[in-house]
Every structure is written in C-alpha cells, then in structure tokens.
Amino acid sequence: MGLSLPLPVPTRAVPPSAAALVGSLRGVGYSLETAIADILDNSIAAGAKSIDIQWEWNDGEPVGWILDDGHGMHTDRLVEAMRFGGIGPEAKRTAEDLGRFGLGLKTASLSQCRQLTVVSKASSGLASFTWDLDQLRKSGGGWDLIEGDAGLSGEIRDQLKSRKSGTLVVWRMVDFGRTNDRPSYESFLADLQRVDAHLAMVFHRFLAGDARALEITLNGSRVKAWDPFLENDESVIRNPEQRIEGPGGRVRVRGFVLPHRDRFRNEIEFEKAGGPDGWTAQQGFYVYRHKRLLSAGGWLGLGGSRAWTRDETSRLARIRIDIPNTADHDWRIDVRKAIARPPDAIRKPLQRIAEDVRRKAREVFVHRGQYGSRQKATGVSRIWQVNPEGAKRRYTVRRDHELIQFLKGRMDKTGFEFFEALLDLVERTVPVDRVWLDVTEHGVPDDEVNSSELVTTALSMARMMERAGLTPHEAAARLATMDPFDKVEDIEEKLIRKLQGAKR
Ligand SMILES: Nc1ncnc2c1ncn2[C@@H]1O[C@H](COP(=O)(O)OP(=O)(O)OP(=O)(O)O)[C@@H](O)[C@H]1O
Ligand SMILES: [Mg+2]
C-alpha cells in the first residue's frame, strides 16, 4: 500500500463573455445620481479638491463628463482602473479610499452610457482608454479595451490642459441604461436637479462640514451642501454621541430631533430641511462611510417583531451613524454604495438609541414643540399639561392656570365643584386614539390662527377680568401671554382698544 496522493481536480476555464456580462452589470440598479456619486468617490479618493461636472443635452444625445484635480493615473494604472474588478473587495484600502469593489468606475458609467472614456494626467503625461459596449459586442466575447479616447472632441479633452494632474471621465452615447426609451428635454432637466440635490446630500460633509473641503460644480454652478441635521439651528435637539464596538470596527451614533414646523422661519425653509424626498421619507438613519453618505433615511429593518415604518409622526427623527471602511463586509455595503445593513451584533444598541430618538421626535411633532422644558423659557402659559408616561391620566388641564384660579375666586363652592367635575370628564374622554390615527394619516392640521374668533374669545374673558377689578391694560397683558392668544398679532393692543372703545 503506497501513499495516496491527492488527485488534481479537473477544471475547465469558463471566462465570461464580456459583452454579455457587461450588459448584465448595467442592471445592478444605479440611477443617474448614484452613478455620478460613485465616480465622485474615486475623485475624492484621489485627493481632488475640486470636481466639475458637465452635463449637456446636445440635441437629444446627452454627453456628460466629470473632471477632477486629483493625482491622476499613469498609463499602467489607468489600464488597471479600466479592468472590471481590478482591485477586488478583499484588498486593504487606505482610510481615505471610498472604493471597495474595483467596479464603480465601469459599472456606474456603463449603467448610464454605452461609451466610457477616461483621460488621466499624471507627471508622465496624458493617457486615455475607452470601453465601448457596441465594440465589445462586435468583438465576440473578448475584453478588448480601446486605446485612446475614440475621437473625443478637443473641447472636452482640453479640460485637462490647465491642470497639473487630474482625471476626466467622459460618458458618451448616454442612454441611461434604456434601449428604446429616449429621454425628453424636460426629464433631462429634472435629472439635473436630482443630481444636484443628491450630491448636495451625499457629500454635504465635504462641501461644508467636518470632512476635507471639496468644491463641486454642476454645469458651472456650485453644489451647496444639504445638511440633514441642521448643524447651525439651535432648536435641534442633539443627543450625545455614542460609540458602539461592532464587528469590523467602532461605529459612532448620534441622534437628532429636528424642530417642529412652527419653528422654521417660513414654509420654504421647512421644505428645504425636509430634504430631496421630503420629511417622511427622510427620517431615520443616515449611514456615513468616511463622511460620505451611503443611505439616507429608513429604519434599517429595526423595530422588533414588526419593522418600523416611516410614519409621519416620527418624521423629525434623524440618526447619524459613522462607520469605518473596515466594516464594509459586516455592514454588507453594495456596489452602488447605496445600501448598508447593520451587523446583528449591534442591532440591539442601535434599536435602543433609535427608540429614544423616535419618542422625542414624536413628542416634538405632536406637541408642536411647545410643551415640556421649553414652556418656561417662552413664558407663555398653557392650559393643557402633558403628564409623563405611566401617569394615570396623560393629558390634564392645569388647575393652577390663571384663568381657572380666577374662576375659582368668582364662583360659589357648588358652582366650582361642578366645573371641576366637568373638567374631569373632559380629561377622561380626550379621544387620544382618534387623534393619533388622524395625525398619523393626515398629519397635524395646519394651525391657522383665526384671529377674529380668538379675539372675540379673549375679549369675553377680558371683560370678566375687568369686572373683577383689573384695568383693561392688566387684563389684556395677562391674556396676551396665554396660549393660544399669544399667537394673535398685536392681541394686547386689540383688546385694549376694544375694552376702552366699549366704555365710550
Ligand atoms: N478619478 C480618479 N483618479 C485617480 N484614480 C482613479 C480615479 N478613478 C478611478 N481611479 C482608480 O481606479 C481604480 C478603480 O476604480 P473603481 O471605481 O472601478 O473601483 P474602486 O473605486 O476601487 O472600487 P468601487 O467599485 O467600490 O468603486 C480605483 O481604485 C483607483 O485606483
Ligand atoms: Mg470607485
């Protein structure tokens, strides 16, 4: 009996057909804006400080190019960059590198166009290569990269002239991944706006924030950061940052509760803060990888037996998560850098943080941000009191409210006892469930101050106070600090005028 050697396993080489594989990769789910963002990742990783994007209608044959001032690539490096899966997902990346799969440049570009040319300038000079889908198809399955820029117009090529180094990515034969459906000029313009909004959001920390400074222009105008957490707004509630040790590295988590609609200067500011997809869609987690936003909003499947949905009532809750690129696998980052899923080991702590932020956000949303700690600061007295969870009754009328105290002094004992019993009945029958349902379905009704009605109500109270011995000025001044009269413009003057007018 001799030693048995392991038999070689018979294999057969089955390389993919280039045209078919690349054709399939077009469908991984990029949109124009996520595709452009993926190209920008490369520019940032190459140390770019300024990136210009040009996007031209070109009589229905759109052409786009992205120019950066990064370190550029020598010829060999550029060839490697054009290789599908050049640097694979297992390679160790520098902390600055926003890439992972060695695919982005190719898959993002070719999801939108049929011809990708990359021109790059480094100390050795210019180099350029082109992938052309139609050429690939004709060449019968091979991976034949075209040398040179396939007749790129001098006007575009010259963009690199004035730069010491940099890279120019050009998309020609743009079809947005669609075969027959041609884009209209209107949809082209709408696309441009979406791209602007998306980049403003995804790179906001680079455009104005705590990341390395970067300037992005789109067709000549500067992309302005959109900050989901309103860093400069002092009415945002900011929870302290928490650190969680998880698989792949430490993540940092911070919860924010955005201000109630009433606290914005106007409707435009409010809409803007909502974000590109609006308030309800943009609630939830914002996952960043090296300060680049991966996913904006949503609850990452957290929420217990039934995952949380994006309810209107929790729309003011936003939570920032910072993950390092060493955690890519554990967070299951996808090729488009648009999806991230938290590893099981940290779902519990994330859920706890989110529960807290959601609860606070609901309070601000439903109570219009006026109840609780802020009440004292504004000095407006309110008739309803919200009691802590677990209290016997959640919503009660303040018995120490000035008007109630006033009434107590003016009524006889049985009369006031009846009034108190009535209050008790009102408190016990607050239709909380119904209100909850209505708010969830229709949102909080717009708080239109009907001033003439309110003035009438205030006036009848002021008259009673007058009869009790207060001067018109005193009565008006007290009512002016009570909810909801404080919302009527010039209520004090209006009341005084009416009270004095009545006397004449
Ligand atoms: N604008 C650029 N400037 C300098 N080098 C670049 C540029 N774009 C791409 N490269 C080089 O080409 C390589 C391949 O880019 P590609 O986007 O295809 O993959 P990746 O960035 O490595 O990973 P991912 O698929 O996650 O984006 C990069 O790793 C980088 O070395
Ligand atoms: Mg990349």
Side-chain angles (χ1 to χ4, degrees):
M1 291 283 122
L3 284 174
S4 64
L5 290 168
L7 290 171
V9 180
T11 57
R12 189 180 294 190
V14 188
S17 147
L21 185 63
V22 174
S24 306
L25 282 173
R26 304 196 82 195
V28 297
Y30 280 102
S31 59
L32 176 64
E33 59 270 23
T34 54
I36 292 181
D38 211 335
I39 303 300
L40 263 54
D41 283 351
N42 291 336
S43 300
I44 293 172
K49 291 190 183 64
S50 114
I51 301 172
D52 298 320
I53 304 163
Q54 195 66 29
W55 195 233
E56 285 159 16
W57 172 240
N58 194 27
D59 291 331
E61 302 290 333
V63 174
W65 48 258
I66 296 162
L67 171 72
D68 71 44
D69 62 352
H71 55 54
M73 288 171 273
H74 302 295
T75 308
D76 295 350
R77 192 77 198 275
L78 180 53
V79 172
E80 269 318 294
M82 297 300 274
R83 187 195 293 276
F84 284 77
I87 311 170
E90 304 309 328
K92 234 186 145 75
R93 303 264 178 164
T94 63
E96 283 273 287
D97 198 342
L98 297 169
R100 167 56 57 194
F101 298 96
L103 283 175
L105 173 63
K106 288 77 67 177
T107 49
S109 302
L110 295 171
S111 74
Q112 304 299 311
C113 72
R114 306 182 61 79
Q115 193 181 49
L116 158 69
T117 298
V118 183
V119 188
S120 201
K121 187 174 181 182
S123 52
S124 55
L126 277 182
S128 54
F129 289 94
T130 300
W131 277 122
D132 183 312
L133 290 189
D134 300 319
Q135 170 78 26
L136 278 188
R137 190 180 294 152
K138 276 184 230 141
S139 73
W143 293 89
D144 302 317
L145 182 63
I146 298 174
E147 304 229 15
D149 61 21
L152 188 63
S153 80
E155 198 188 326
I156 299 182
R157 200 180 334 111
D158 285 352
Q159 298 292 329
L160 265 173
K161 234 184 190 162
S162 61
R163 316 222 166 190
K164 245 175 68 199
S165 69
T167 299
L168 175 65
V169 174
V170 188
W171 294 353
R172 282 176 287 175
M173 298 174 32
V174 173
D175 65 356
F176 306 98
R178 302 180 288 207
T179 322
N180 301 311
D181 183 24
R182 305 299 302 154
S184 66
Y185 186 58
E186 286 71 35
S187 71
F188 172 82
L189 293 180
D191 280 351
L192 262 179
Q193 277 188 352
R194 270 201 345 270
V195 170
D196 184 66
H198 188 73
L199 300 179
M201 174 172 82
V202 167
F203 298 105
H204 75 92
R205 289 166 80 175
F206 294 86
L207 295 170
D210 57 351
R212 185 166 56 76
L214 175 70
E215 192 180 292
I216 303 175
T217 66
L218 177 58
N219 284 8
S221 43
R222 216 169 146 162
V223 176
K224 292 192 199 78
W226 177 77
D227 170 15
F229 312 109
L230 307 182
E231 204 64 62
N232 300 319
D233 188 325
E234 52 192 42
S235 39
V236 175
I237 300 174
R238 299 182 171 83
N239 283 354
E241 185 177 271
Q242 302 197 32
R243 286 155 190 232
I244 309 174
E245 294 300 334
R250 174 192 290 167
V251 301
R252 294 179 293 142
V253 187
R254 187 164 192 198
F256 298 79
V257 178
L258 274 74
H260 188 274
R261 185 188 203 135
D262 294 352
R263 293 206 154 242
F264 286 88
R265 256 185 300 163
N266 51 45
E267 196 63 17
I268 298 170
E269 296 276 301
F270 172 73
E271 288 294 328
K272 206 172 116 204
D277 293 328
W279 278 100
T280 304
Q282 301 244 199
Q283 65 179 285
F285 288 103
Y286 285 69
V287 184
Y288 294 81
R289 176 169 168 272
H290 292 284
K291 303 189 177 162
R292 188 270 205 217
L293 183 64
L294 296 178
S295 71
W299 293 104
L300 301 176
L302 299 178
S305 55
R306 232 176 103 228
W308 289 323
T309 53
R310 302 182 210 207
D311 309 327
E312 170 134 34
T313 50
S314 46
R315 71 180 189 188
L316 301 176
R318 289 179 181 172
I319 303 176
R320 184 172 74 199
I321 305 186
D322 280 299
I323 66 172
N325 69 1
T326 48
D328 287 351
H329 294 302
D330 298 296
W331 279 75
R332 286 175 286 162
I333 306 295
D334 73 331
V335 174
R336 296 169 303 146
K337 321 288 181 325
I339 298 180
R341 304 173 195 82
D344 285 350
I346 70 162
R347 290 174 69 87
K348 273 230 175 72
L350 277 184
Q351 171 135 350
R352 265 199 301 276
I353 292 171
E355 271 163 6
D356 175 57
V357 179
R358 282 169 58 96
R359 184 178 47 75
K360 287 183 182 150
R362 273 199 304 270
E363 270 165 25
V364 174
F365 176 76
V366 179
H367 306 154
R368 307 174 173 277
Q370 296 167 339
Y371 295 88
S373 59
R374 260 198 208 110
Q375 177 160 342
K376 282 188 209 95
T378 56
V380 174
S381 79
R382 295 178 201 294
I383 201 140
W384 282 99
Q385 174 168 301
V386 183
N387 303 310
E389 225 152 331
K392 214 161 81 201
R393 247 170 293 155
R394 192 103 171 84
Y395 307 98
T396 47
V397 171
R398 279 175 198 276
R399 299 301 147 80
D400 61 353
H401 191 277
E402 202 181 337
L403 287 175
I404 300 215
Q405 288 301 315
F406 180 79
L407 208 56
K408 194 173 177 182
R410 303 280 299 162
M411 278 172 114
D412 64 28
K413 197 157 171 270
T414 12
F416 191 70
E417 266 170 24
F418 175 76
F419 175 67
E420 278 207 293
L422 193 63
L423 281 185
D424 191 69
L425 188 70
V426 171
E427 289 171 354
R428 282 175 195 279
T429 54
V430 173
V432 178
D433 294 353
R434 180 70 224 198
V435 171
W436 183 257
L437 256 179
D438 286 346
V439 166
T440 312
E441 268 174 32
H442 310 295
V444 173
D446 266 341
D447 191 19
E448 260 176 46
V449 183
N450 183 331
S451 28
S452 73
E453 264 177 41
L454 275 181
V455 172
T456 311
T457 308
L459 191 62
S460 90
M461 289 178 169
R463 290 216 172 97
M464 202 168 61
M465 294 165 120
E466 237 194 324
R467 259 178 267 136
L470 265 64
T471 67
H473 278 92
E474 283 166 348
R478 290 201 187 171
L479 288 165
T481 62
M482 285 178 199
D483 177 39
F485 306 127
D486 64 305
K487 294 199 189 69
V488 181
E489 214 174 313
D490 301 329
I491 179 84
E492 209 170 324
E493 291 78 51
K494 279 182 186 149
L495 286 176
I496 293 171
R497 220 178 305 130
K498 292 211 176 196
L499 289 168
Q500 287 177 336
K503 281 209 186 103
R504 259 180 247 132

